[in-house]
Amino acid sequence: MTLAGCGLGRSAEPDLPPVEGSVCGDVTLRGDVIGDVDGAGACGIEDAVLLREVDGVALSTPARITCDTARALKTWVNDGVRPAVGDTGGGVQSLRVVAHYACRSRNNRPGARLSEHSFGRAIDIAGIGLANGTEMTVLTDWNGRYATELRAMWRAACGPFGTVLGPESDRFHRDHFHFDTADYRSGSFCR
């Protein structure tokens, strides 16, 4: 297990002491260190964390993921979500997480390849909670009130994440964004 991957709470500044509750060597990623997760068969996560908050934005459900996925989520929050939301509803407060680590096939289809969720490299987001208590939801707002904001967020995920799927990709993703850190030689796969 590497020091950087184990989430000992070390900040990016080498002279600063660890911050309790931080993970992945980043004081803005808050949660718990889990360590290795042994899954059934080929599933599992090396150096997993249970992420609860990303740079002040709470996750509705703590996500069991890798540090690479947590860092990609932070990039998306800061470079995609915050600029898209702006001051709307008082700004972004939370992300509604609907899936993270689970040992399963893609789209839960029998015989399909294992999903990136099976390795802690994926997270599914269905809504963006605002400070005033309202929520931008992928299901109702993709073609509705917050279409511009949600589409900007979707586009901003291409790059930090290897795979970005949304309502226009297929029927399995009509109500959420699927983000994973799969590595493709040709760059991000965004649909």
Side-chain angles (χ1 to χ4, degrees), residues 11 25 70 105 117 122 133-134 148 151-153 163 180:
S11 70
S105 61
H117 288 284
T134 61
T148 301
R151 289 166 193 273
M153 289 179 219
T163 306
D180 71 49

Side-chain angles (χ1 to χ4, degrees), residues 129-144:
L130 306 179
N132 68 2
T134 61
E135 183 182 47
M136 296 179 178
T137 68
V138 176
L139 179 63
T140 59
D141 294 317
W142 181 254
N143 290 313

Side-chain angles (χ1 to χ4, degrees), residues 109-141:
R109 297 176 76 181
R113 292 178 52 188
L114 286 176
S115 167
E116 292 298 311
H117 288 284
S118 299
F119 312 110
R121 296 188 297 244
I123 189 165
D124 292 351
I125 307 293
I128 312 300
L130 306 179
N132 68 2
T134 61
E135 183 182 47
M136 296 179 178
T137 68
V138 176
L139 179 63
T140 59
D141 294 317

Side-chain angles (χ1 to χ4, degrees), residues 166-183:
E168 295 180 11
S169 66
D170 58 36
R171 65 185 174 93
F172 300 105
H173 299 92
R174 66 183 177 82
D175 63 351
H176 68 276
F177 294 137
H178 167 89
F179 301 143
D180 71 49
T181 53
D183 189 20

